[in-house]
Amino acid sequence: LRPLLFLYFISDLPNRLTCSNLLFVGDLKIYSPITNFTDCLIIQNNFNIISQWCTENELFLNVTKCKICSFTRKTRPVEFNYTLEDVSLVRCSEVKDLGVLFDAKLEFSSHIDTIVSSAIKSYGFLVRDCKSFSNEMALKNLYYTLVRSKLEYASSVWNPCYQNRINTIEGVQRRFLKYLTLKKDGIYPSRGSDHHVMLVRFEMQPLELRRINNSLKFLFKLVRNQ
């Protein structure tokens, strides 16, 4: 019952705030367009409301984990020294939210680098610990679970449009396809082997195509209020 009771406990907090907010379990984000000093004061007033609510309900914040991030492409954005419980909040250029790394320009380059690095480590684990595996379906299922899942989580948010980023992500799957070829043929495919041919052979889709399909499914559900 603890998660449910906690949600009941904090359910009135968003109603007190005067700016847009998102609440997920114990994680609260407040946000608003900032064009002038008055907008900054509105945000600061909401921080004061949060601080007062926490005092009234004896819920103590770890202020060191609270961050400020401005999402903008302006060279000189409006900045303000926001405080919470009389402590200045740290301003950061990147913030991790529910497993996705958001950068100030919403380019998601750091996020892509992070998930590719993590996926390559998982791929290395798969290769090292599954040397005795020869069944193609078993290896593919392990890849889908341990590696591809990391490359596709929340892809509708960060799906890249630049070809170099698309190729970086696709390179992880290309490694696995070469590994499958080694398992089937006893030798690695030659350098420059056609990626599409390997995809067809092992009945797999390009990761870019899967991201596009997932985005279309998300859009479909969105417009149908699902």
Side-chain angles (χ1 to χ4, degrees):
L1 284 175
R2 283 183 296 178
L4 182 61
L5 292 174
F6 180 77
L7 291 176
Y8 278 126
F9 182 72
I10 62 175
S11 61
D12 65 314
L13 173 57
N15 297 328
R16 293 196 184 187
L17 302 175
T18 60
C19 66
S20 300
N21 59 86
L22 292 170
L23 187 63
F24 183 80
V25 192
D27 181 33
L28 172 67
K29 292 175 284 293
I30 63 174
Y31 59 96
S32 177
I34 301 295
T35 57
N36 51 51
F37 184 74
T38 302
D39 293 335
C40 297
L41 292 178
I42 293 174
I43 291 286
Q44 180 58 58
N45 182 58
N46 278 268
F47 282 132
N48 297 338
I49 293 172
I50 293 170
S51 179
Q52 181 180 355
W53 183 92
C54 289
T55 300
E56 292 173 358
N57 292 276
E58 299 183 9
L59 184 67
F60 303 105
L61 293 173
N62 187 344
V63 181
T64 59
K65 290 186 177 181
C66 300
K67 310 290 182 182
I68 288 289
C69 186
S70 298
F71 299 100
T72 179
R73 292 182 180 272
K74 293 181 180 179
T75 54
R76 298 182 63 183
V78 179
E79 293 191 357
F80 185 85
N81 181 33
Y82 297 101
T83 61
L84 182 61
E85 297 181 352
D86 297 324
V87 178
S88 295
L89 295 177
V90 175
R91 181 174 292 276
C92 58
S93 58
E94 294 179 344
V95 58
K96 195 170 187 179
D97 183 24
L98 301 180
V100 178
L101 190 61
F102 290 81
D103 59 274
K105 294 184 178 181
L106 295 179
E107 293 177 341
F108 296 102
S109 297
S110 297
H111 176 73
I112 292 173
D113 289 339
T114 299
I115 63 172
V116 167
S117 176
S118 178
I120 289 175
K121 290 179 181 178
S122 295
Y123 166 75
F125 165 78
L126 188 156
V127 171
R128 289 192 305 272
D129 286 49
C130 302
K131 291 181 180 179
S132 60
F133 286 40
S134 58
N135 182 274
E136 177 185 327
M137 186 55 65
L139 290 169
K140 286 167 68 174
N141 284 334
L142 285 168
Y143 164 75
Y144 296 152
T145 304
L146 300 175
V147 183
R148 193 176 71 180
S149 60
K150 293 186 175 183
L151 298 172
E152 294 189 334
Y153 171 72
S155 64
S156 296
V157 175
W158 55 263
N159 189 8
C161 59
Y162 295 113
Q163 193 60 48
N164 63 326
R165 290 297 175 188
I166 293 172
N167 293 340
T168 298
I169 300 170
E170 207 71 42
V172 180
Q173 180 157 278
R174 183 175 175 83
R175 290 190 184 195
F176 176 70
L177 289 170
K178 288 184 175 182
Y179 176 68
L180 274 185
T181 303
L182 171 65
K183 285 289 187 177
K184 297 288 286 187
D185 301 341
I187 57 172
Y188 267 104
S190 58
R191 182 180 295 273
S193 296
D194 193 320
H195 183 56
H196 179 71
V197 171
M198 288 189 288
L199 286 169
V200 172
R201 178 183 181 184
F202 295 109
E203 299 180 339
M204 294 171 63
Q205 290 182 325
L207 296 178
E208 180 185 12
L209 178 59
R210 288 180 54 81
R211 289 195 302 274
I212 292 173
N213 289 337
N214 287 333
S215 295
L216 289 173
K217 291 175 183 176
F218 176 77
L219 178 61
F220 177 80
K221 292 180 179 180
L222 190 67
V223 297
R224 292 174 63 91
N225 197 28
Q226 298 177 356

